[in-house]
Amino acid sequence: MTQFLAISSCSSTNLLRHASRTDLCQIDDKTRIGVKASEFHGNAVLHYKPNSGSVRDNKCAIRAVLTNDQAAVTSSTAEGKVPRKKLNKVVLAYSGGLDTSVIVPWLRENYGCEVVCFTADVGQGIKELEGLEEKAKASGACQLVVKDLKEEFVKDFIFPCLRAGAIYERKYLLGTSMARPVIAKAMVDVAREVGADAVSHGCTGKGNDQVRFELTFFALNPELSVVAPWREWDITGREDAIEYAKKHNVPVPVTKKSIYSRDRNLWHLSHEGDILEDPANEPKKDMYMMSVDPEDAPNQPEYLKIGIVAGLPVSINGKELSPASLLAELNEIGGKHGIGRIDMVENRLVGMKSRGVYETPGGTVLFTAVRELESLTLDRETIQVKDSLALKYAELVYAGRWFDPLRESMDAFMEKITSTTTGSVTLKLYKGSVTVTGRESPYSLYREDISSFESGQIYDQADAAGFIRLYGLPMRVRAMLEKGI
């Protein structure tokens, strides 16, 4: 069940004060600047920067707000800027890092809105969640909402991909791709709960995540406005962001900046940037965080028995666990044996190639187990169709189309076709490898009495001669044609 935590509450104070003859913009508790309503075609908002001198200083931006539903805020001093729609309250996907800390005052400054920070716990670790209330308040947010999405993430997003066998470009187990729609879905829910009219994220304009967030917003609430600061603001890098934070009295996170760009959740940990940008470079040994180097893994193998019901894992060595608990335990076991390291060059949705290194210990164990059980429970034609659809399924998830009717329809097929994929698979984990040592299923299509080399009543070996002649007839006719027979 989703856990809900709301920390602090939004102030009811509106930064804009309206009068019948003169529109007032409240800069702080003491300062109000009046502008005659007749000077604009609507309510006038004076965008004031402290210590900028006169209100007529060209560093100040006076923005006219239209009175109709399509009200837009636009700067009079910044030529070529796209008009901005006036917003009341924005839900921001918030991590507490530099970028999202800066986005809070930027939204308030440029959209005149209240900002509700939202953080999703998808298993990124307790350290990532520490001190968020203080950071959000210090940045100017009026509320912080935290939701524990771990069970929902695994049950409703990871397990369907696992059942479908969805792997992007032969290697990637879609860790980040699956996490974004569950976070975005929760943001839509929070927007409804707090009465927000917009959502915002800190994704750059060069990556896949912006698409994943926004397609989910479109699918679940097309009436919400979406703000993507990295596609609008003048901040170009870390130093600009730090300077902006200082000017707006936003405490800059004191954590040491990693040389890698990382994304972590209960399913995986990704690494990008620094030396990894050159595909010829081997990753450094100290980069990995979820798994030990296979060379340093235990010298004795460990055996696991994974219980599976209808294509979904339910137990480890006979112990039934919740989806999130099961995955967390397999991450520990798999990581100890150096399982699940992937180094790949992938094609991003936006067109460029990128190099990433992924750690998915528990996921690698589960994919191996489910696939091997299917070798017992699915026939040849079904496996071929399922595998072909799995490629498209992975592409849809990677591209952020989780709530696309096509993926949902394919998921219904996957659920139906794996209804008999029930049983157990025994695996051996040893120094980075996962080896299958046994498979069992009450729905197994494997029959020892048929497969045995011994003669039997069900399969008469003499029948093979006629089968081969008919099956090879097209090849035989072609050869006769070429030889003039």
Side-chain angles (χ1 to χ4, degrees), residues 423-440:
S424 63
V425 176
T426 302
L427 306 170
K428 181 172 73 173
L429 280 54
Y430 181 67
K431 291 190 177 296
S433 67
V434 183
T435 306
V436 179
T437 61
R439 315 158 187 81
E440 298 176 279

Side-chain angles (χ1 to χ4, degrees), residues 355-397:
R355 192 267 188 100
V357 177
Y358 302 97
E359 297 178 78
T360 320
T364 300
V365 171
L366 290 177
F367 257 88
T368 303
V370 173
R371 183 179 62 243
E372 288 300 325
L373 187 59
E374 288 179 347
S375 70
L376 287 183
T377 62
L378 302 182
D379 61 71
R380 177 179 58 198
E381 299 298 326
T382 300
I383 288 178
Q384 290 177 357
V385 172
K386 183 176 183 293
D387 286 350
S388 65
L389 290 178
L391 294 175
K392 186 62 179 179
Y393 194 108
E395 289 178 3
L396 290 172
V397 175

Side-chain angles (χ1 to χ4, degrees), residues 339-350:
I339 305 298
R341 294 184 174 190
I342 294 295
D343 185 340
M344 69 178 293
V345 175
E346 69 192 65
N347 291 292
R348 286 184 180 175
L349 180 63
V350 293

Side-chain angles (χ1 to χ4, degrees), residues 71 75 80 96 140 150 160 200 251 263 265 268 283 320 341 357 375 388:
S75 171
K150 293 192 291 294
S200 179
D263 177 75
N265 57 50
H268 88 157
E320 293 189 3
R341 294 184 174 190
V357 177
S375 70
S388 65

Side-chain angles (χ1 to χ4, degrees), residues 260-316:
Y260 302 104
S261 173
R262 288 188 168 104
D263 177 75
R264 184 167 189 164
N265 57 50
L266 197 55
W267 183 248
H268 88 157
L269 172 61
S270 65
H271 311 265
E272 293 181 336
D274 196 56
I275 65 168
L276 299 180
E277 292 184 351
D278 184 348
N281 290 333
E282 179 182 5
K284 294 181 179 178
K285 189 172 182 177
D286 61 359
M287 179 192 75
Y288 296 93
M289 301 174 67
M290 289 184 72
S291 59
V292 303
D293 192 308
E295 296 177 358
D296 301 326
N299 293 323
Q300 296 298 321
E302 182 170 354
Y303 288 84
L304 294 176
K305 191 170 187 177
I306 307 299
I308 298 170
V309 174
L312 300 177
V314 296
S315 66
I316 303 173

Side-chain angles (χ1 to χ4, degrees), residues 409-422:
S409 298
M410 293 171 66
D411 202 52
F413 167 82
M414 297 298 180
E415 182 177 3
K416 174 65 176 178
I417 215 68
T418 58
S419 61
T420 59
T421 302
T422 295

